[in-house]
Amino acid sequence: MQFDLSLLQPKEQVSFGLRALYEAAGCRKYHMGQFEEYALYQENQAFLPSRQVITFTDLDGRLLALKPDVTLSIAKSAQPAPGQTRRFYYSENVYRPSADSHTFKEIAQMGLEFIGQVDPEQTGQAVALAARSMSLLAEVMGRPWRLEVGHMGWLQAMLQALDIPAAARGSILAALQAKNSHGLSAAAQAAGCGPQQIQALQELLELHGPAGQVLPGLRRACRTQAMQDAAAQLEALAVRLADAGPSLWLDLTLSGEMEYYNGLIFQGYLWGVARPVLRGGRYDPLVRKFTPKAQAVGFAVYLDELDHPAAPPPAGGCEETAPWLNIALPKGRLGDKVYQLLARSGCLSPEDYNATRKLVVEDPAARVRCFLVKPSDVAIYVEHGAADLGIVGKDCLEEAAPDVYELLDTGLGRCRMCVAAPAGYQEDPGRPLRVATKFPRIAQEHYARLGRDIQIIRLNGSIELAPILGLSDVIVDIVETGATLRENGLEVQEAFLPISARVIANRSSYQFKGAAVRGLLARLRETLSRPKEETL
């Protein structure tokens, strides 16, 4: 009797399909125990998605961990002989912290790893299997897909060719990864870069799109032999994956951990799924900790992402039609300014939404839908894909650290994040500094950079009262004019973070609705470049 796979749930169909695909490619199934000695993860924390691991003491006194990663275990166990390539695939559950629930989460993964002698041909095979994995997911789920490919080697060589200081490369890579043009310029200026270096970095943001459109610009941008070799590898990959057509994109701002990835890096997206469903790349530095001179490439498919409901794609495809853009706006005074900016830019029709109790404002002609949420929730809606775009203060972004693109600084609501204290306050370096704030993450990171031990006192309002009543020594809060501080006998000691409203985008929406997003951004930039009175 033949079993009908269509009777299975989509995630189960995908699991069976991927297993058949990987076994046909000559991969052997790898199975790891549920527990691993904690020392493995402790010694290789730089290669883990998170340093937080569930640990416990076994009956024989060993400290064990509930597995947070599969690749690390395979890299340790593979032990390929010189000249040998070992091919594994796996289907495992790992346990990692969830930023959404602040608890540990069980995550279902499938994936494959090539370890040992991994030449460009074998690397190409692995990426081709990633593309076929995405095609299979798309077929089962009935949604368009996209595989986005970058090259950490090319990007690192570019930073070296531009003489970017090593200490500044992390912040510059982070800005590139977030497609944060204004943040990129600020990070480069802070690193002492000149106008030509900054312009070259900004031009990298344009190296994103269908492979055929990006490759000519990629070749022109090459400055060293290492960059030319990496570009040749991407060209060969584009030829190999020609059948993928418009589903294969290159993105030379795509980056990962510098200590982890050293070559090709890639991510797979499905229409309407907020996060990448596939991630992978070349990771020689990790495998060489266990087998000298070995090489490795692999990827993981995140099956749990397929459980999230998603809106169906438009009948005419993704970019061929004008899709609706869902935009999350902050309630309150900043939201009013942002709505007016959108209206002045012709992105939607003017409407006095404050005169009603509506939370959703639609403009069918412009195909824009705005909805009003609490400012601190804007980034959550965008990160989870309920909104394609959002406009939110930089304070909310820094505090929540969402996985989104930061595309534009509107300049609206400009103010500063400051440390303030009673006039004449003298800090006692002999004890922890008591800091009252609504922004514990921002405060922690600021004082961590200074190497100062602090005690956070989290408050939700009237922060200025804390030092007056002796609850705290100082406060960390937003300051616009400073009038409230002065009226309560406080003064700014330090301003360390400029704040204004930023346009952010969901990473998946940017892949599939990119043309509509870029069109809206262009109208906003044009409006912001003109005197306000001209747009009224």
Side-chain angles (χ1 to χ4, degrees), residues 147-166:
L147 185 69
E148 186 181 55
V149 183
H151 202 297
M152 278 295 290
W154 189 94
L155 199 51
Q156 291 279 31
M158 169 62 88
L159 297 181
Q160 187 173 0
L162 292 175
D163 292 323
I164 305 298

Side-chain angles (χ1 to χ4, degrees), residues 230-250:
Q233 188 176 5
L234 288 169
E235 286 181 336
L237 185 65
V239 172
R240 185 182 197 120
L241 301 183
D243 290 347
S247 294
L248 176 66
W249 278 39
L250 299 184

Side-chain angles (χ1 to χ4, degrees), residues 55 61 117 129-130 190 254 303 309 311 323 420 443 460:
T55 61
Q117 180 176 311
L129 284 168
L254 184 62
L303 298 177
N460 295 313

Side-chain angles (χ1 to χ4, degrees), residues 341-349 363 366 523 527:
L341 171 63
L342 290 168
R344 296 200 312 270
S345 302
C347 300
L348 47 77
S349 300
D363 186 337
R523 292 194 292 273
T527 300

Side-chain angles (χ1 to χ4, degrees), residues 158-452:
M158 169 62 88
L159 297 181
Q160 187 173 0
L162 292 175
D163 292 323
I164 305 298
R169 292 179 186 177
S171 59
I172 286 175
L173 284 174
L176 286 169
Q177 172 80 329
K179 306 203 183 303
N180 185 345
S181 175
H182 48 281
L184 178 60
S185 293
Q189 289 172 359
C193 297
Q196 291 184 338
Q197 292 168 296
I198 294 174
Q199 181 179 352
L201 289 171
Q202 290 285 354
E203 289 172 354
L204 297 182
L205 295 171
E206 303 302 318
L207 296 179
H208 173 253
Q213 296 179 18
V214 172
L215 284 170
L218 173 63
R219 272 298 188 187
R220 289 193 298 270
C222 290
R223 296 169 177 249
T224 66
Q225 185 61 48
M227 297 176 71
Q228 292 174 7
D229 292 344
Q233 188 176 5
L234 288 169
E235 286 181 336
L237 185 65
V239 172
R240 185 182 197 120
L241 301 183
D243 290 347
S247 294
L248 176 66
W249 278 39
L250 299 184
D251 183 358
L252 273 299
T253 68
L254 184 62
S255 65
E257 295 296 329
M258 289 184 287
E259 299 88 355
Y260 196 105
Y261 292 110
N262 65 310
L264 285 173
I265 183 170
F266 43 93
Q267 295 182 348
Y269 293 89
L270 282 179
W271 170 277
V273 180
R275 299 181 176 95
V277 297
L278 181 149
R279 295 179 188 265
R282 185 73 180 255
Y283 59 94
D284 299 350
L286 169 60
V287 74
R288 286 175 181 169
K289 288 179 67 67
F290 304 99
T291 308
K293 298 183 179 180
Q295 302 158 312
V297 64
F299 60 84
V301 178
Y302 297 89
L303 298 177
D304 290 342
E305 295 296 336
L306 306 181
D307 291 333
H308 302 300
C318 298
E319 296 284 6
E320 288 75 9
T321 64
W324 278 83
L325 285 180
N326 298 307
I327 306 177
L329 302 182
K331 292 180 180 179
R333 186 172 56 179
L334 178 59
D336 294 342
K337 292 179 180 178
V338 167
Y339 191 90
Q340 292 168 14
L341 171 63
L342 290 168
R344 296 200 312 270
S345 302
C347 300
L348 47 77
S349 300
E351 179 177 341
D352 183 10
Y353 64 83
N354 286 319
T356 72
R357 299 179 65 88
K358 290 195 298 184
L359 297 177
V360 179
V361 181
E362 294 186 350
D363 186 337
R367 301 185 72 79
V368 169
R369 180 183 296 110
C370 295
F371 48 92
L372 308 172
V373 300
K374 188 177 179 180
S376 58
D377 290 343
V378 170
I380 297 174
Y381 278 88
V382 175
E383 183 177 16
H384 287 261
D388 303 307
L389 298 174
I391 306 182
V392 62
K394 182 65 172 176
D395 55 313
C396 294
L397 291 180
E398 289 293 317
E399 185 62 26
D403 186 20
V404 297
Y405 290 135
E406 184 180 332
L407 302 177
L408 178 65
D409 181 356
T410 68
L412 298 177
R414 201 175 294 280
C415 51
R416 307 165 291 164
M417 186 69 69
C418 296
V419 177
Y425 169 75
Q426 295 294 320
E427 184 177 328
D428 179 1
R431 63 173 177 81
L433 186 69
R434 295 176 302 157
V435 181
T437 184
K438 289 185 290 187
F439 306 99
R441 181 190 181 98
I442 292 174
Q444 288 278 15
E445 292 186 351
H446 172 65
Y447 282 104
R449 288 191 293 269
L450 301 177
R452 184 68 166 96

